[in-house]
Amino acid sequence: MSFAIGVDAGGTSTRAALVDAAGAVLGTGRGEGANPNAHAPEVAASRIAGAITEALGSRDPGEVRACVVGMAGISKLSDPEIAAVFDAAWARIGLAGVVRVVADAEVAYASATSAPDGTVLVAGTGSIAGRIRKRRLAGTAGGYGWLLGDEGSAFWLGREAVRSTLEALGRGLPLDGLPSAVLAAALGPSGLDVRTDAGRLAASRALITAANAEAPVRLARFAPLVSAAHDAGEPAARAIVARAAELLVANALAAREPGESTPVVLVGSVLTGKSPVGDLVRRGLSGLEVLTSSDGVLGAAWLAAVDAFGEGVVRPVFPQKSSKTWREDAKTSTEPGDSG
């Protein structure tokens, strides 16, 4: 028999699926995060290789005709020394010359549609919009990382929540709702009396210090507070959400050609589930076919199957008994695009 393997390698988890030409999932493997921007290249490569080996089980690696790895942080492999680390890992598990590494946005797109051309819009911790042509990432809009972009992402939402709180503190505005939630999350029971000007100034300084003491992407932890305040009808939160959706829609449209009617696939926690940003983005893209990414590892497995067996191959589907577990795992492993 011949097989294909798909891998979804994110910052928090790595998942692999072994499939045959009939679309049957014959084996699965898991590992910890393998984004080489977040983990040492040797560690990332080893985790991906481990997940692939687990998915293979006792099968001969020589029977694998294609392997597609969707990787967050793929830009790291532009460094020849780092690429060599991954090539060595593939060789150790018997897959030298078989593995094709692609951006995680490509496998996310493929998980939702078989259309060869379209757009993928990712908004998780970071954000990026990608133009897909022949199932390959042909161009991007946004995705420049926290310092230069990531508009509308969880990082961006969290940063705006802190900025809004600082503005409320400085201008003597009410602190209930979003500002109160941000201060509690950032400072805990600080004991500061924000009813006085001196207390507000001290709280402002403490919040700035707390935000700058952590990695910038940690601001993403405040994003759920914006959603909650939005749902409660708070004007400041509603303005932040509206602006996030506006920026994401603009990037999605910037990645498309004028008059393009291909699908748009939404990926990431900011755009899926009950996210108010996602609702507004869908409205902003009305008139287009808007889909939601299901499971990146299945997209990767299907791309690998197309490489191995040709067009028309059956799209893989996880067995019913394990689909719930994999869906729950996917919720925690969604990564932004290669934004840095």
Side-chain angles (χ1 to χ4, degrees):
M1 292 184 65
S2 296
F3 309 106
I5 298 177
V7 182
D8 184 14
T12 56
S13 71
T14 298
R15 298 170 300 141
L18 178 78
V19 300
D20 62 16
V25 177
L26 305 176
T28 60
R30 304 178 190 229
E32 295 180 73
N35 179 337
N37 279 324
H39 307 282
E42 293 80 6
V43 172
S46 177
R47 288 173 176 175
I48 296 173
I52 292 173
T53 299
E54 184 180 346
L56 271 169
S58 60
R59 297 175 180 85
D60 181 2
E63 296 177 334
V64 177
R65 294 177 59 176
C67 176
V68 169
V69 176
M71 179 187 294
I74 189 175
S75 63
K76 203 76 170 177
L77 271 65
S78 62
D79 183 329
E81 292 186 4
I82 293 177
V85 171
F86 283 85
D87 289 340
W90 313 149
R92 283 196 300 271
I93 60 175
L95 295 184
V98 177
V99 180
R100 178 165 68 93
V101 182
V102 304
D104 56 339
E106 289 186 28
V107 302
Y109 177 85
S111 74
T113 178
S114 58
D117 301 333
T119 304
V120 59
L121 178 62
V122 184
T125 304
S127 67
I128 191 171
R131 181 168 59 256
I132 302 294
R133 294 293 181 267
K134 297 180 180 180
R135 304 192 184 97
R136 305 279 181 107
L137 192 64
T140 60
Y144 306 136
W146 66 267
L147 182 60
L148 301 175
D150 281 350
E151 300 88 352
S153 66
F155 159 80
W156 186 94
L157 289 165
R159 187 193 65 184
E160 293 305 299
V162 172
R163 287 167 60 94
S164 179
T165 300
L166 291 169
E167 183 175 317
L169 285 166
R171 295 189 178 187
L173 301 175
L175 297 179
D176 53 331
L178 181 60
S180 176
V182 168
L183 288 171
L187 306 180
S190 64
L192 295 169
D193 185 359
V194 293
R195 293 172 298 179
T196 67
D197 289 343
R200 282 175 173 259
L201 180 57
S204 178
R205 289 172 173 170
L207 178 56
I208 292 170
T209 299
N212 284 308
E214 298 183 307
V217 294
R218 281 282 291 157
L219 287 171
R221 66 192 174 105
F222 299 112
L225 304 181
V226 177
S227 295
H230 171 278
D231 293 344
E234 185 171 328
R238 295 181 72 86
I240 292 171
V241 166
R243 182 57 177 159
E246 179 183 345
L247 291 167
L248 289 167
V249 169
N251 275 346
L253 296 178
R256 298 171 68 81
E257 297 172 3
E260 186 175 338
S261 59
T262 58
V264 179
V265 175
L266 306 184
V267 187
S269 58
V270 173
L271 294 171
T272 57
K274 297 181 179 180
S275 165
V277 176
D279 290 342
L280 290 180
V281 166
R282 287 179 176 82
R283 293 183 200 174
L285 297 172
S286 62
L288 299 174
E289 181 184 13
V290 180
L291 307 170
T292 301
S293 174
S294 56
D295 196 334
V297 72
L298 287 179
W302 181 62
L303 290 176
V306 171
D307 287 351
F309 310 116
E311 293 287 346
V313 68
V314 178
R315 293 176 68 85
V317 177
F318 282 119
Q320 187 64 35
K321 64 180 181 180
S322 64
S323 61
K324 180 180 179 182
T325 300
W326 280 79
R327 282 197 305 271
E328 290 174 347
D329 190 48
K331 291 178 182 177
T332 62
S333 65
T334 302
E335 283 291 302
D338 185 32
S339 51

